[in-house]
Structure formats: structure tokens, C-alpha cells
Amino acid sequence: MSSVKHRSGELWVLMQARRLGGRRNPLRRSTDRIETALLWCTLVAALLLIPVGAAVGTGVQNSLDASAARQRAVLHQVQARTLESSERQVPAVQGDVLSQVPVSYVDPRGAEQRRMTSVVIGTKAGAEVTIWLDRSGNIVTAPLSKSDSAAFGGTAGFFTVLGGWLALWGVFNLARVPLNRRRSREWDAEWLAIAPRWSRGQK
């Protein structure tokens, strides 16, 4: 069984080598050589997309980090205390893990405030939560953390590479359409020329 698998593996490698032009084949036509060149160009472009995706991901991460740093420069981080429990609350949207509860906190001017903010479902009453305030003392969305920026950057880089690969595969297959048509016409023309002689030889 192992020898059969080994032989099958060798045949697969040989087939791929022939397709990529690794071995000479007297039956190869100009359309086959053009297709091989297109395939090599597609493979090289696919490899080049990896550093492109990494650059895009790094750019997105750096941009988000810079934006978060600007937000932190004008916002205030304070500790608030929940006034109600969210243990029995049901998420408004399926899969949502946050819920609105009232909290109390002291704003930068020293005044006690009571506002609504989002906390993780299951947070008990009296728990301390971190909130961010603008210059007016209103609760705002927290700036992205380093890990969040890295996650968004990684996602952007991944989908850049994946989208590029899908686009390359689509372009390669579209380019093969006229080549296949031309190859089919050449085979038909040769068959029309060879078939009569082959038929006479069989008689």
C-alpha cells in the first residue's frame, strides 16, 4: 500500500512539473506555454501579496494606535460604580455580551454624576468599571487597546491577501478561456487533417 501511495505521489509531482513547464513535452503547444507563463505569473503575484497584506495590516494597526492615542490625550479615564446588576438582563441582540446599566462616578470637576453605560452581562451591582469621559464629563466609547488595534490590523491583512488570491485565481481562469478555445480549434483542425489518413490506414 505504501509503495502505491509513493508511486501516486511521484506521478502527481511529475504532472505538476509538466504543467509548470518543468519537463519538455513534444505535444506542448504555444497555448500551453502561454498558460504555463500565466500560471507562473499568478504564483509569483500570489507570493508577493503576502508582504503586501502584512504591510496593509501594519498600516491599519498603526493608524488605529495613533487614533487611540489622540483620543486618550483629550479623554479622561475614571472608575465608576454600577448601581444595578446586569446578571438577569437579556441581550438586546443575540450574541451581544453588553448591557446598559446606571453607574455613578465623579467627573473631572469633582461633581458626582449618574449616567447609563455598557457593562458585560453578569456584572453585579456595586462593581467597579472603567469609563471614559470627554471634556464635558459625558461617557464616551473607550479608545481601542493595543490588542484591539492588532486584531483589526491582522484581519485587514488577512482579507487583503485572501481577496488578492481570489482575484488572481479569477483572472487566471478568465485568461484561460480564450486559450482553451484556441487549443480546441487547433485540435479540431489537426483531427480533420489526420482522421482521413488514420481511417485509410485502418482499412
Side-chain angles (χ1 to χ4, degrees):
M1 180 64 70
S2 59
S3 61
V4 173
K5 290 183 178 179
H6 181 70
R7 182 60 178 171
S8 299
E10 289 181 349
L11 291 175
W12 184 86
V13 171
L14 290 174
M15 290 174 62
Q16 300 306 314
R18 289 174 180 173
R19 185 178 183 185
L20 294 173
R23 296 188 63 179
R24 293 185 177 182
N25 188 341
L27 296 179
R28 287 176 62 83
R29 303 168 179 273
S30 59
T31 51
D32 298 325
R33 289 189 288 271
I34 294 174
E35 182 177 343
T36 298
L38 288 174
L39 180 58
W40 274 112
C41 291
T42 302
L43 292 175
V44 172
L47 291 176
L48 293 176
L49 276 174
I50 296 177
V52 170
V56 170
T58 301
V60 171
Q61 180 179 351
N62 292 340
S63 177
L64 293 176
D65 282 339
S67 177
R70 289 192 296 268
Q71 288 180 322
R72 293 188 185 95
V74 297
L75 300 179
H76 299 278
Q77 181 181 1
V78 299
Q79 293 299 116
R81 190 173 298 277
T82 57
L83 301 177
E84 295 180 5
S85 171
S86 65
E87 293 178 297
R88 297 184 178 181
Q89 293 190 11
V90 178
V93 180
Q94 187 176 4
D96 193 1
V97 297
L98 300 178
S99 178
Q100 291 279 324
V101 297
V103 297
S104 64
Y105 61 94
V106 177
D107 64 20
R109 293 171 294 183
E112 185 177 353
Q113 303 286 344
R114 293 191 176 187
R115 302 286 176 85
M116 300 292 291
T117 189
S118 297
V119 298
V120 177
I121 294 178
T123 302
K124 297 181 179 180
E128 286 193 352
V129 293
T130 300
I131 60 175
W132 289 81
L133 309 177
D134 60 15
R135 292 177 177 176
S136 301
N138 298 316
I139 300 176
V140 295
T141 303
L144 291 176
S145 64
K146 291 284 186 179
S147 58
D148 290 335
S149 298
F152 280 114
T155 302
F158 171 77
F159 280 105
T160 297
V161 175
L162 180 61
W165 283 352
L166 292 176
L168 285 174
W169 182 247
V171 170
F172 173 72
N173 281 285
L174 285 176
R176 291 180 61 195
V177 172
L179 293 177
N180 289 333
R181 291 176 179 172
R182 180 179 172 183
R183 187 182 295 116
S184 179
R185 290 195 298 268
E186 290 176 351
W187 276 109
D188 290 342
E190 289 192 7
W191 175 249
L192 290 176
I194 296 175
R197 290 181 291 174
W198 180 79
S199 300
R200 288 194 297 269
Q202 294 294 319
K203 295 180 180 180

